[in-house]
Amino acid sequence: MDGNENPGPVRTSLWRNARLATLREDLGTLGVVESGVVAARGERIVYAGPEAGLTSELARADQIFDCEGRWVTPALIDCHTHIVHGGNRAREFQLRLEGATYEAIARAGGGIASTVEATNALSVDELVAAALPRLDALLAEGVSTVEVKSGYGLNVETELKMLRAARRLETLRPVRIVTSYLAAHATPPGYQGRNGDYIAEVVLPGLAAAHAEGLVDAVDGFCEGIAFSPAEIALVFDKAKSLGLPVKLHAEQLSDLGGAKLAASYGALSADHLEYLDAAGAAAMAKARTVAVLLPGAFYTLREKQLPPVEALRAAGTRMAIATDCNPGTSPLTSLLLTMNMSATLFRLTLEECLAGVTREAARALGVLDETGTIEAGKSADLAIWNIDQPAELIYRVGFNPLCERVFKGERVSR
Ligand SMILES: [Zn+2]
């Protein structure tokens, strides 16, 4: 700004006659405020609470919206997605239903290799175009913050392309995008059996290059027998630490390698999946304030039997978030409302855990809790206004979208 510009007065907005589920922890279950009001100056909330507490100045807002008694929650947050990718695996899904084994599909060039190939074939523009319908599906359900990972390039050029596409999404839709660099997702064909070389030659230099371009908000990895060992992930985390970047990890999805404990030892934002997590891992995460991100879409799609240790996480006081894990192979899911229902039905999470898991705790898992995730003064005015009579309707229905309106940074947005 050149200093001569007059930005004009900041507009104040008011949402009145609302039943607020603020998700503020100091206000009890769901942080409910009946007869509530939210006031925003520009994009910031300046007051959220009972009508009675509204100052006369704020009551004379530039624009006033009557919520007609509707429930208002923080806008939703999908804290684990792979929405930027090429192609899809619908044909593979069909073949599996007809009896083909995973091995036969992999031999025929299917599985993650097909997504890597399809992703490498696309330009940034094409990756953006492919991701937009998935993003729009999320936004239509009141989502305003989406985490997006790289991890289907598996070479420096395409890992960067994926992250550039993720950043571009934020310029095309009213949404906050948070990126994760996930080159340590799988070993590409040329490096089979040489994970160390792949990390040294691709993952680490790619991270430095992506960071230099401002593309990385956090660094992720896949710690699993079919992916990378804890020692290999530690090399990636050390590099992240040297660059001042926070880390997170796909851990304990198919077996217990101690990935969550490793992540906690680096003060990770989150460890995700966690079906095979043990009580010691849950305790280590609680101590490090590492959020447990549960992903029921992958559990469902893979028809897993091993449930995440929800009781152990509760007992340890580990924070829990939930997310779609939207990806073409194991969770082709673009509904956070359905994710909430699955978390309740499959994992027996409570209403409070489900709703906090897509708002406050999801914001915590992304390191953006100061900015969004609850409805309170000082935060971005990111709201979801719902046509429901009680919050439990958000987790009870299957395949029904009761969103009335979404507000992002103080602006009403159509989607
Ligand atoms: Zn994932």
Side-chain angles (χ1 to χ4, degrees):
M1 212 174 275
D2 65 13
N4 294 324
E5 266 176 49
N6 182 355
V10 177
R11 195 167 56 173
T12 54
S13 310
L14 211 55
W15 287 266
R16 309 194 81 142
N17 195 13
R19 307 172 79 183
L20 304 178
T22 65
L23 272 298
R24 271 177 52 174
E25 289 189 90
D26 58 327
L27 297 181
T29 306
L30 298 180
V32 170
V33 178
E34 298 279 356
S35 305
V37 56
V38 179
R41 189 169 284 133
E43 63 182 58
R44 293 278 142 199
I45 297 172
V46 288
Y47 176 79
E51 288 262 1
L54 195 65
T55 64
S56 53
E57 187 211 342
L58 283 176
R60 293 188 303 271
D62 299 311
Q63 45 184 5
I64 298 175
F65 307 108
D66 185 353
C67 295
E68 298 172 329
R70 288 187 177 85
W71 280 96
V72 178
T73 69
L76 308 189
I77 299 170
D78 195 348
C79 68
H80 182 139
T81 88
H82 306 252
I83 59 169
V84 170
H85 61 258
N88 68 59
R89 310 246 282 271
R91 171 78 181 149
E92 240 175 72
F93 185 69
Q94 178 192 345
L95 291 174
R96 280 211 309 276
L97 295 174
E98 291 164 3
T101 63
Y102 279 93
E103 290 70 26
I105 288 167
R107 272 201 307 277
I112 191 170
S114 70
T115 300
V116 170
E117 196 182 327
T119 302
N120 271 290
L122 298 188
S123 66
V124 172
D125 286 349
E126 289 166 334
L127 286 170
V128 167
L132 276 176
R134 296 188 273 271
L135 178 62
D136 286 340
L138 293 171
L139 302 189
E141 293 185 344
V143 172
S144 278
T145 302
V146 179
E147 188 257 16
V148 182
K149 302 176 193 296
S150 71
Y152 291 120
L154 308 185
N155 58 59
V156 173
E157 188 197 342
T158 302
E159 289 295 310
L160 266 63
K161 264 195 319 193
M162 290 182 73
L163 294 172
R164 288 182 196 124
R167 287 277 194 249
R168 179 91 60 81
L169 294 173
E170 201 170 45
T171 69
L172 298 173
R173 293 291 187 270
V175 66
R176 180 183 296 101
I177 298 288
V178 183
T179 61
S180 298
Y181 175 81
L182 179 60
H185 189 200
T187 313
Y191 284 95
Q192 288 304 321
R194 297 192 296 127
N195 276 4
D197 292 343
Y198 173 61
I199 288 172
E201 293 168 18
V202 177
V203 178
L204 302 184
L207 174 53
H211 176 59
E213 209 178 303
L215 295 173
V216 185
D217 295 326
V219 177
D220 200 346
F222 186 18
C223 185
E224 193 59 69
I226 57 167
F228 297 92
S229 69
E232 289 160 350
I233 293 294
L235 297 172
V236 183
F237 282 3
D238 285 337
K239 179 73 175 180
K241 206 172 162 187
S242 77
L243 296 172
L245 292 167
V247 300
K248 56 174 68 173
L249 191 63
H250 291 65
E252 272 77 272
Q253 182 186 7
L254 307 169
S255 63
D256 185 3
L257 297 186
K261 254 181 263 177
L262 173 79
S265 76
Y266 281 83
L269 288 169
S270 70
D272 304 30
H273 284 292
L274 302 175
E275 277 81 350
Y276 287 82
L277 181 74
D278 63 11
M285 289 177 63
K287 193 153 175 259
R289 298 172 191 269
T290 297
V291 177
V293 178
L294 306 183
L295 305 168
F299 178 91
Y300 167 87
T301 302
L302 295 171
R303 304 174 77 229
E304 293 285 352
K305 298 284 184 286
Q306 176 84 17
L307 288 160
V310 170
E311 276 306 332
L313 290 165
R314 284 176 183 144
T318 317
R319 302 291 182 145
M320 286 185 277
I322 55 179
T324 62
D325 190 18
C326 174
N327 77 72
T330 61
S331 188
L333 172 62
T334 48
S335 168
L336 210 42
L337 288 170
L338 183 53
T339 301
M340 279 198 270
N341 173 267
M342 286 177 168
S343 299
T345 304
L346 300 173
F347 296 166
R348 309 309 287 169
L349 295 196
T350 65
L351 168 64
E352 172 96 17
E353 288 166 338
C354 288
L355 202 45
V358 295
T359 55
R360 185 184 68 230
E361 301 310 324
R364 197 190 308 275
L366 295 180
V368 296
L369 186 54
D370 289 343
E371 184 65 17
T372 189
T374 63
I375 303 176
E376 59 188 299
K379 293 199 180 184
S380 180
D382 302 346
L383 310 172
I385 304 172
W386 303 98
N387 291 317
I388 54 174
D389 294 324
Q390 50 181 319
E393 285 177 59
L394 295 176
I395 67 166
Y396 154 75
R397 294 185 191 281
V398 184
F400 184 76
N401 181 3
L403 186 74
C404 171
E405 191 166 287
R406 184 166 77 91
V407 175
F408 180 62
K409 294 186 175 177
E411 298 283 341
R412 305 163 82 190
V413 286
S414 57
R415 62 181 178 188

